[in-house]
Amino acid sequence: MPASLYRPSTTVFWPLDCRESGYVFGWCNNNQRVQSIVVTGVVQILTLAVDLEVRAVLQRLNDKRQQYACLADLGELKILGRCGFDYWGRSDLVVPELKLVDIRATGYKIVYYHRHPASSLRFYSIDAFNDIVTPMSRQRSGINQDVVKQLNVASIINTAVLEPSSTSSVLNVTHSSSTMNRTTKTITTQMSDLLFNALLMSQSTFSRPAQSICNAHVLSKFPLKNMSLSVQQMDVRIEQLAILLRQMAALRLRKEGGRVEIYSKEYTSFFNTVWLILNDITIGYAFGRFLCENHEVLATMLKEFVEDILILWPQRALCWLDSWPAGLKLNTELSSFYSGTFVDLVNVWGGVLRHIIFPYPYLSNTIYIFGLVSSFGALIGGMGGMTMSIALFYDMFVFFTLHIYVCYVIAVVAFEKALWGLGSLWRLFRGKRFNVLRNRTDSWEYDIDQLLFGTILFTLLAFLFPTVLAYYALFALSRLAMILTQASLEIQLAFMNHFPLFTLVLRLKDPWRIPGGMYFDFVEVIVHADANEVASAGEDESNSNEASWRSRRQFENTKDPVTTLIPVMKNQPVTFQRIFFQYARLWSQLASHYHPFRLIKSLLLGRLLVPIPVYEIRYDKIGNHSKEL
Amino acid sequence: MSPVTPPWEKVLWKKQPYPDNYIPEGALDSSLRKNPNFKPYTYWPLVHLSTAITQHLATIFIFLCVFVRLKDHSLDPRVLIFLSLGCFFLGYLVWEVLQYTQNLGGSNHGNERNERIRLDRVKTFKSSILIFLALMSLSPVLRTLSAATSSDSIWALSACLFLLNILLADYGSSNPVIQGRHERLTSVLSMNAAISSSVVLASRLTNDLAVFALIQFSVQSFTLFPMLRRRLQAFSDKKPSTQAMQTLLTLILSISSFLLAIPLSSTIAFLVLFVLLAVTMLAPAVLVWAQKYKNEIRGPWDVAVPKLN
């Protein structure tokens, strides 16, 4: 092991844009092995008065540590020492020569960092979720949560100290100030006020009755939410609006000295939702106009489609099954009974549709109303839009295919009973019985009449089974097609409701606002060699992203410039996997529910096929509470 | 280097001057025994035992002839029903007689046995009524069961199932007096195969009554009659003087099957006769002849067989 492991070392974090000489102030963290000194800024102290003032400001900041959230849990600000810059050569970046007090080790390492201004909403973060950085390397480099917090706050503190008159307002950085001190309000401020009031009003008018609808129960047992997708969508939208309102209130009144990280994250999530809803309303408007203009044509097309595919086709298929389909000889009596029943059922439903729904103008009016809902969604409490129209079409689809569902349920029950009876009687045929206590098949002595009766029934069932199977297969396949359509509509809805659009765009535009870790980049710096200062040579792993840094010094008393590499700390944007992690979970849930093997097994065993329950793919079930990006 | 070494004994608890894996000369040859438990078959007892198979085969042939006649409408179903009812009562009478003689011969347990006998009777009565009603209600369904299947597949299916029945049937005699136990069906699968075969055949008939008659007849001949046969066989085994009854029964069955088959087709009739004779006469002869090839070697490696006298 290199000896530097046991030697205490010091890391100095220096802001990249600071090039003045003067007195250095910041924090000094004494960790176990590494002492990390975070330099917040440099102040020129030329006179004693300035010195006293600076010290007074620092003391005031330290005293009010509990008040300002950004300073909580951090160490004490103090003046650390002096620094001097030597300009040499063409390079912009120079290494300061520091004379620091309280330095533990004989030498120090310098790491540059970017001092992000608070209005840029950039910040550093150690991604706490994927622990790539091992504790060991973190210890050796001296980066931990406190250091990161200090780095984030550096800019604010620097401004606070350099301009002591504006300390209190500087710590109160907001986007749209709502303090009464400002006399002039900007346009953005006025717009945000308007939006806020509009949202507040719509919520108070619409949310109460809508919520009561959403939480209603049919027959006091089945929640309406789980039965209809439109109601579910309404519920989701109301929840989104409520969250928006909360976030907006929090963002407008940015607390004194709040932390940049929290503010940035809430900002991102708030605007993501807002953008999604606006998208929704916009697309919904276009779709709605289309529906409204063509509602009659669409109604006619829909009528024809339903008649042909949903009413006539099953009847034709059933008649085909009844008359020796593909040469399969099904039992004639049972087959005619089955096909008669199902054809009658389909006829009944067809009659209902024809007499109640299809007569002009009910269907076209319904489509017109759908169009209205879709276009003017914003006016009905923000609940309409494209998502609502998708949900309404989903419900309409379910309604129109109700007869197939009923036929399928009948066929599935008959098939399952036949399968179960066949299995049980086959065991009787062999003289065995299923022992429930031991979960296995044992031999068993049956009575003679049981045996006789059982054998006769077994032969009967064995001959009738192909007929049952044929009818079940027909309805099972159509049910499968129905479920796949429903699944695709649901997935579309889920995408429209919760897509991390804002985060993706940020990733392209300004990746540093969504940090998911830190990494070190190297800059070449020309250093003036000096006999006194040394930088410890050693191998260190500060981050898994960098191999090792080497900074060699030559102890020559020549004044030749030496080129060294100094690390600069940069933000690593959050990975795509992180952005979409809820989608990964959603996908895995969908895949496990609609997995082909599972579906086939359900088909063969005669289990009921259901679409995934709607409450399972709601966003908050997937984990909204942690307010992820 | 002792001059006289004691003879080697096959014991482990004595220390002997021989190595552990020592085998004396000729020990292996002398310890091999050929066919030690061999009791050679003799011809006539074998023939007597194989009459059980013959009876079973004859029953099947009778059933098939009855089926063909029903199908040709040359036999009235009502006649068949009455006939089978008569046979049923006759058989039940014989059963009761056998049980009575057994009671006389065996030890007296008095009331307990009477109780059991009464219970058995009630159970039998209940079973027969149940079967009767069930068959009556199911026969319309069974008639149209395989209307769509072609006849050839039905014949093939039926033949396979009867073959299964013959192969798996129990031809031994059951121990008639097991305390507290009713008559046991030792081979359930064969009986079930026979019943399904008859159901499958019955679906070829055109008359509901005919279906009922046929299935009732088959239930009787494949379920109840074997029980009676086994009882008779056990009875005649215990009392050698009544062995003639067994042969008489065999003869009656064989001749009736032959006679029933002749009007239908003389080839088939002679085939039936040939099969029956082969099973009864030829097969035991072959078995006796093949005895001389029996070569069972037992040696010191076998599990010991205790001799119980």
Side-chain angles (χ1 to χ4, degrees):
Chain A
M1 274 218 203
S4 62
L5 196 59
Y6 296 104
R7 213 173 42 210
S9 51
T10 309
T11 318
V12 174
F13 293 94
W14 187 265
L16 194 57
D17 48 339
C18 186
R19 280 176 222 135
E20 304 143 355
S21 314
Y23 281 86
V24 173
F25 66 95
W27 285 279
C28 180
N29 304 311
N30 293 322
N31 300 329
Q32 282 175 349
R33 280 208 211 118
V34 181
Q35 184 188 33
S36 331
I37 299 185
V38 177
V39 172
T40 314
V42 172
V43 67
Q44 312 262 15
I45 299 184
L46 302 167
T47 64
L48 193 63
V50 174
D51 184 28
L52 283 175
E53 198 177 335
V54 163
R55 284 185 201 272
V57 168
L58 285 179
Q59 190 59 41
R60 202 166 35 167
L61 283 175
N62 282 333
D63 289 336
K64 290 201 188 160
R65 235 185 305 171
Q66 304 312 318
Q67 249 188 12
Y68 300 128
C70 59
L71 285 181
D73 303 329
L74 296 180
E76 226 184 78
L77 275 173
K78 55 188 175 185
I79 293 193
L80 297 167
R82 294 189 51 136
C83 79
F85 277 91
D86 266 344
Y87 288 91
W88 187 274
R90 297 158 300 190
S91 164
D92 285 324
L93 299 167
V94 285
V95 175
E97 289 179 20
L98 302 169
K99 293 193 182 59
L100 299 168
V101 305
D102 272 350
I103 205 169
R104 233 202 281 171
T106 47
Y108 57 86
K109 294 190 282 263
I110 291 195
V111 176
Y112 287 127
Y113 72 96
H114 293 270
R115 195 169 45 182
H116 299 300
S119 54
S120 73
L121 286 189
R122 298 177 179 176
F123 59 98
Y124 286 109
S125 125
I126 296 181
D127 201 2
F129 297 97
N130 38 344
D131 242 329
I132 306 179
V133 183
T134 60
M136 178 70 114
S137 43
R138 244 193 256 152
Q139 269 182 15
R140 287 206 256 172
S141 62
I143 301 177
N144 57 5
Q145 288 280 11
D146 285 341
V147 170
V148 169
K149 279 190 220 169
Q150 288 164 359
L151 294 174
N152 284 334
V153 146
S155 163
I156 301 177
I157 302 296
N158 187 37
T159 337
V161 169
L162 290 181
E163 300 159 23
S165 54
S166 55
T167 309
S168 59
S169 61
V170 155
L171 285 173
N172 219 357
V173 176
T174 54
H175 265 246
S176 60
S177 159
S178 64
T179 58
M180 291 307 136
N181 291 340
R182 300 267 181 124
T183 48
T184 55
K185 288 202 179 185
T186 56
I187 297 198
T188 48
T189 319
Q190 282 170 332
M191 272 185 59
S192 72
D193 276 343
L194 189 67
L195 188 60
F196 187 64
N197 290 333
L199 275 179
L200 207 56
M201 195 176 64
S202 73
Q203 197 207 22
S204 53
T205 353
F206 283 104
S207 76
R208 271 298 180 77
Q211 281 255 309
S212 62
I213 296 179
C214 293
N215 293 334
H217 284 244
V218 172
L219 299 175
S220 67
K221 202 167 77 145
F222 304 108
L224 195 60
K225 258 194 287 191
N226 293 346
M227 292 181 47
S228 153
L229 194 64
S230 325
V231 174
Q232 179 90 349
Q233 174 61 28
M234 219 160 46
D235 198 36
V236 167
R237 185 48 64 82
I238 290 172
E239 212 175 303
Q240 272 180 332
L241 288 177
I243 293 178
L244 271 188
L245 229 56
R246 262 206 322 265
Q247 278 179 335
M248 190 168 208
L251 286 176
R252 281 159 59 83
L253 286 72
R254 189 173 171 185
K255 289 202 219 88
E256 284 189 348
R259 301 248 299 270
V260 181
E261 299 100 73
I262 300 177
Y263 182 77
S264 181
K265 282 188 183 158
E266 280 208 18
Y267 184 90
T268 314
S269 136
F270 172 77
F271 274 106
N272 190 27
T273 323
V274 166
W275 193 357
L276 278 181
I277 295 185
L278 284 178
N279 261 353
D280 189 18
I281 294 179
T282 322
I283 301 181
Y285 184 76
F287 190 62
R289 296 304 320 158
F290 166 73
L291 281 184
C292 287
E293 279 172 24
N294 305 327
H295 65 280
E296 304 206 358
V297 176
L298 282 176
T300 336
M301 275 173 51
L302 194 62
K303 216 183 301 187
E304 280 176 19
F305 175 78
V306 167
E307 277 276 347
D308 260 343
I309 299 201
L310 291 181
I311 305 284
L312 281 184
W313 180 82
Q315 286 181 339
R316 258 185 262 136
L318 286 165
C319 288
W320 175 68
L321 273 186
D322 197 15
S323 51
W324 285 18
L328 285 175
K329 296 173 195 170
L330 306 176
N331 188 311
T332 11
E333 275 77 21
L334 189 63
S335 174
S336 61
F337 169 70
Y338 252 131
S339 88
T341 315
F342 286 138
V343 163
D344 280 339
L345 264 176
V346 170
N347 265 341
V348 161
W349 188 248
V352 162
L353 286 182
R354 265 184 230 123
H355 292 291
I356 298 184
I357 308 289
F358 285 163
Y360 183 82
Y362 297 129
L363 191 63
S364 53
N365 277 355
T366 318
I367 297 190
Y368 192 77
I369 293 177
F370 282 6
L372 281 181
V373 163
S374 180
S375 4
F376 299 111
L379 297 180
I380 45 172
M383 282 191 284
M386 187 68 188
T387 47
M388 192 52 118
S389 62
I390 293 183
L392 285 170
F393 273 115
Y394 179 94
D395 282 338
M396 200 166 73
F397 178 75
V398 167
F399 178 71
F400 279 144
T401 55
L402 204 57
H403 60 298
I404 296 190
Y405 179 65
V406 169
C407 293
Y408 168 74
V409 166
I410 296 178
V412 125
V413 164
F415 179 74
E416 199 183 349
K417 295 282 174 262
L419 210 56
W420 170 78
L422 215 57
S424 170
L425 286 174
W426 170 247
R427 280 190 288 265
L428 181 137
F429 195 87
R430 286 164 43 213
K432 297 195 190 290
R433 182 179 75 152
F434 185 68
N435 193 345
V436 189
L437 290 174
R438 291 212 183 189
N439 213 26
R440 64 172 186 200
T441 316
D442 282 337
S443 34
W444 175 249
E445 287 174 28
Y446 288 99
D447 288 338
I448 295 186
D449 49 343
Q450 284 175 332
L451 277 174
L452 286 172
F453 206 35
T455 312
I456 295 179
L457 278 181
F458 175 72
T459 323
L460 195 69
L461 256 184
F463 272 97
L464 292 179
F465 186 67
T467 316
V468 176
L469 181 67
Y471 281 93
Y472 170 71
L474 175 71
F475 284 111
L477 287 175
S478 37
R479 174 77 177 154
L480 198 64
M482 260 172 70
I483 286 193
L484 290 177
T485 327
Q486 285 179 329
S488 60
L489 279 176
E490 274 170 357
I491 294 176
Q492 226 176 340
L493 196 64
F495 271 135
M496 282 214 72
N497 262 338
H498 313 283
F499 197 69
L501 203 55
F502 200 76
T503 320
L504 281 180
V505 171
L506 263 189
R507 185 86 169 60
L508 289 173
K509 167 187 167 240
D510 189 1
W512 285 21
R513 275 168 68 175
I514 39 170
M518 299 185 292
Y519 71 98
F520 288 89
D521 200 5
F522 291 98
V523 285
E524 277 197 5
V525 174
I526 301 183
V527 159
H528 181 65
D530 204 323
N532 276 343
E533 312 305 317
V534 291
S536 63
E539 291 161 352
D540 250 315
E541 269 186 10
S542 313
N543 196 309
S544 62
N545 276 341
E546 60 143 353
S548 67
W549 70 16
R550 28 175 238 292
S551 122
R552 261 179 296 112
R553 294 307 213 94
Q554 289 164 344
F555 282 87
E556 292 157 23
N557 261 338
T558 62
K559 299 274 185 184
D560 289 336
V562 179
T563 311
T564 57
L565 293 172
I566 305 279
V568 178
M569 210 148 68
K570 290 198 178 157
N571 261 346
Q572 189 185 25
V574 74
T575 53
F576 281 115
Q577 185 196 3
R578 195 98 195 96
I579 296 178
F580 283 110
F581 93 104
Q582 270 133 2
Y583 279 92
R585 243 186 269 185
L586 174 69
W587 174 250
S588 71
Q589 244 176 351
L590 278 173
S592 75
H593 189 87
Y594 289 119
H595 197 250
F597 285 164
R598 180 182 168 275
L599 285 180
I600 290 177
K601 190 169 151 204
S602 307
L603 280 179
L604 288 177
L605 289 180
R607 279 191 234 147
L608 203 63
L609 283 175
V610 285
I612 196 168
V614 286
Y615 53 81
E616 265 184 34
I617 53 175
R618 273 183 68 138
Y619 189 54
D620 48 342
K621 293 293 182 287
I622 308 179
N624 187 22
H625 298 304
S626 53
K627 290 238 173 94
E628 284 304 323
L629 294 166
Chain B
M1 286 283 251
S2 51
V4 174
T5 52
W8 179 78
E9 287 172 66
K10 197 176 173 186
V11 290
L12 282 176
W13 41 267
K14 248 200 234 173
K15 197 163 172 66
Q16 301 178 63
Y18 297 96
D20 280 341
N21 56 351
Y22 176 76
I23 298 179
E25 286 288 330
L28 194 61
D29 294 333
S30 65
S31 65
L32 283 180
R33 282 157 301 143
K34 195 167 163 185
N35 298 334
N37 299 329
F38 180 51
K39 285 197 262 297
Y41 292 129
T42 41
Y43 186 64
W44 287 113
L46 211 54
V47 169
H48 192 257
L49 284 174
S50 70
T51 50
I53 308 182
T54 321
Q55 284 171 1
H56 195 93
L57 283 175
T59 322
I60 293 185
F61 287 138
I62 294 179
F63 173 77
L64 285 175
C65 297
V66 164
F67 167 69
V68 174
R69 276 166 202 272
L70 267 183
K71 197 156 170 316
D72 289 341
H73 302 286
S74 52
L75 181 63
D76 199 10
R78 284 179 285 244
V79 170
L80 185 58
I81 294 179
F82 287 132
L83 213 64
S84 52
L85 267 179
C87 287
F88 175 68
F89 284 123
L90 189 66
Y92 197 64
L93 205 67
V94 174
W95 179 275
E96 286 290 311
V97 163
L98 282 177
Q99 202 148 27
Y100 184 66
T101 49
Q102 235 153 42
N103 279 354
L104 281 186
S107 55
N108 267 343
H109 280 248
N111 279 342
E112 175 195 297
R113 196 171 264 180
N114 286 344
E115 271 301 316
R116 204 167 23 89
I117 291 174
R118 214 169 306 153
L119 245 130
D120 280 347
R121 281 208 199 106
V122 168
K123 257 183 95 177
T124 322
F125 188 60
K126 173 197 100 168
S127 305
S128 41
I129 292 283
L130 207 65
I131 295 175
F132 193 78
L133 288 176
L135 280 178
M136 215 153 58
S137 50
L138 278 178
S139 40
V141 184
L142 291 175
R143 180 170 62 89
T144 54
L145 198 58
S146 60
T149 328
S150 75
S151 298
D152 292 334
S153 9
I154 299 286
W155 307 147
L157 188 61
S158 174
C160 288
L161 286 169
F162 270 130
L163 208 63
L164 199 66
N165 179 33
I166 295 174
L167 287 173
L168 292 177
D170 180 25
Y171 297 115
S173 63
S174 66
N175 199 353
V177 181
I178 308 173
Q179 288 288 354
R181 286 287 195 96
H182 195 61
E183 182 71 34
R184 243 203 298 181
L185 287 174
T186 41
S187 176
V188 172
L189 193 53
S190 82
M191 192 203 87
N192 283 340
I195 299 291
S196 358
S197 174
S198 59
V199 165
V200 153
L201 282 179
S203 64
R204 287 282 106 188
L205 298 173
T206 48
N207 200 3
D208 278 350
L209 202 59
V211 169
F212 173 68
L214 187 69
I215 299 187
Q216 192 207 29
F217 182 63
S218 80
V219 160
Q220 202 179 308
S221 19
F222 296 122
T223 317
L224 304 174
F225 192 51
M227 282 171 24
L228 184 65
R229 277 203 323 254
R230 267 200 292 271
R231 216 43 183 312
L232 272 174
Q233 193 175 3
F235 181 72
S236 74
D237 276 347
K238 272 171 59 169
K239 297 196 174 126
S241 54
T242 51
Q243 264 182 3
M245 223 162 44
Q246 182 87 321
T247 8
L248 191 65
L249 185 62
T250 317
L251 275 175
I252 291 177
L253 285 174
S254 326
I255 292 182
S256 47
S257 71
F258 179 64
L259 288 176
L260 279 177
I262 285 191
L264 297 175
S265 154
S266 42
T267 346
I268 299 291
F270 280 107
L271 202 62
V272 161
L273 192 65
F274 173 69
V275 165
L276 289 174
L277 276 176
V279 165
T280 317
M281 303 290 178
L282 205 57
V286 170
L287 194 59
V288 167
W289 172 78
Q291 290 271 294
K292 67 176 190 216
Y293 291 111
K294 185 173 170 79
N295 189 13
E296 182 192 3
I297 301 179
R298 280 187 177 267
W301 59 81
D302 271 326
V303 178
V305 175
K307 273 201 188 122
L308 301 169
N309 287 338

